[in-house]
């Protein structure tokens, strides 16, 4: 992928994040879509492996390298607020919103 294409993709992801953060209905719709996509075993929670897939895709959208195993563990621990070994829908929604805010604030 060319540098220009990469910058265009990141700018689009940033603009999409800004749009979601400014429209609660769109945010909720996108969140549901993302939750269903990454809850691969359909148990209503995001496990460590599923969350790793989400994080890898998120970092790719930001134009960054995929995080290390240690970073994955840290991200998962931060999102799993009740420490039950899975990220429930509300925990994932809070994490997703935090990540959209981070994406919206990216400098391109």
């Amino acid at each position: 992928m060319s540098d220009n294409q990469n910058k265009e993709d990141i700018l689009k992801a940033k603009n999409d994040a800004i749009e979601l953060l400014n429209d609660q209905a769109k945010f909720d719709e996108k969140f549901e879509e993302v939750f269903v996509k990454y809850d691969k075993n359909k148990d209503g929670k995001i496990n460590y492996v599923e969350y790793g897939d989400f994080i890898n895709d998120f970092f790719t959208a930001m134009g960054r390298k995929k995080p290390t195993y240690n970073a994955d563990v840290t991200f998962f621990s931060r999102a799993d607020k009740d420490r039950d070994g899975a990220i429930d829908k509300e925990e994932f929604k809070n994490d997703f919103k935090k990540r959209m805010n981070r994406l919206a604030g990216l400098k391109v």
Side-chain angles (χ1 to χ4, degrees), residues 63-75:
R64 295 177 57 196
K65 292 188 318 185
K66 293 178 181 177
T68 65
Y69 171 79
N70 289 339
D72 277 351
V73 170
T74 299
F75 294 144

Side-chain angles (χ1 to χ4, degrees), residues 53-96:
D53 292 342
F54 166 70
I55 288 296
N56 285 340
D57 291 349
F58 178 76
F59 270 67
T60 298
M62 289 178 59
R64 295 177 57 196
K65 292 188 318 185
K66 293 178 181 177
T68 65
Y69 171 79
N70 289 339
D72 277 351
V73 170
T74 299
F75 294 144
F76 185 84
S77 294
R78 287 182 185 158
D80 182 18
K81 298 291 186 194
D82 63 7
R83 305 288 185 249
D84 68 350
I87 300 170
D88 65 34
K89 204 167 192 176
E90 195 59 35
E91 289 170 329
F92 191 72
K93 189 171 194 175
N94 291 332
D95 186 69
F96 182 71

Side-chain angles (χ1 to χ4, degrees), residues 37-61:
K37 176 181 178 180
Y38 291 99
D39 180 19
K40 294 177 180 169
N41 66 2
K42 307 301 178 212
D43 67 352
K45 295 182 178 183
I46 303 293
N47 64 37
Y48 179 78
V49 173
E50 293 165 338
Y51 189 72
D53 292 342
F54 166 70
I55 288 296
N56 285 340
D57 291 349
F58 178 76
F59 270 67
T60 298

